[in-house]
Amino acid sequence: MPDGRRLRGQRSREAILDQAVSLASVDGLGGLSLGRLAEAAGVSKSGFFAHWRDKEQLQLDCVDRARRLWQDRVIAPTATAPKGLRRLFALHEARLAFYTDGVLPGGCFFFVAQVEFDDRPGPVRDAVAAAMADWLGYLERRVQDAVDLGELTADPAQLAYEIEALGEAAVTHARLRDADAAYRHARRAVLDRLRALATDPSILPED
């Protein structure tokens, strides 16, 4: 295939996946209509089926695309924060910014996907579970960094779980109640928890 055609095909595929992740953040992966998705992405159905022959593969590719989006918008921006406690809190703030910026219309792709597939064995459930495990593992490593630097006294697995739970709670509270209050409370809850465990709370923001 000529390079130009290959590049156009890749761009078309990525544009479709971006639309699929966006729609799935509202309707779930099971709610993806191939016809609606092709229309939203501005491609013909024949063009759509040139990339995916079945819905399960599309769902798996959506999970991968959502992981990369999370990497780009939540994890990567915190790389310049000082390693340890400040980077850990910057990660939580980047997550909340992902929600408040309205990157996805449903708020969080993975929150919807885990509720949808937690009781549905198969490759898609496995992919969602692996993505969640990787994210929690990343959080644990950032907690461990802070412990190793002497900035925190904490069980990394426990604290990572608590930070994740507070981040997830913000998703539904923001959509069903007062969004500003939900994000404010989620930020303050993690900040207070980190202060309580920090050896020097002054390196964290005041509020």
Side-chain angles (χ1 to χ4, degrees), residues 28-34 48-49 52-62 124:
L29 286 166
L32 289 176
S33 161
L34 303 188
F48 183 93
F49 286 110
W52 294 279
R53 296 298 179 183
D54 62 73
K55 190 171 182 177
E56 182 176 84
Q57 187 57 55
L58 171 63
Q59 292 172 332
L60 290 169
D61 288 345
C62 280
V124 179

Side-chain angles (χ1 to χ4, degrees), residues 37-51:
L37 183 53
E39 181 180 356
V43 298
S44 65
K45 288 186 179 181
S46 60
F48 183 93
F49 286 110
H51 297 291

Side-chain angles (χ1 to χ4, degrees), residues 66-113:
R67 289 181 71 156
R68 286 183 285 142
L69 179 63
W70 193 258
Q71 169 69 37
D72 292 344
R73 295 296 298 264
V74 176
I75 296 175
T78 68
T80 57
K83 188 177 180 181
L85 188 55
R86 283 166 288 191
R87 187 175 298 181
L88 178 62
F89 186 60
L91 197 60
H92 184 64
E93 291 199 295
R95 177 195 195 142
L96 295 180
F98 183 91
Y99 300 150
T100 58
D101 289 347
V103 177
L104 295 175
C108 183
F109 171 91
F110 285 106
F111 184 84
V112 176

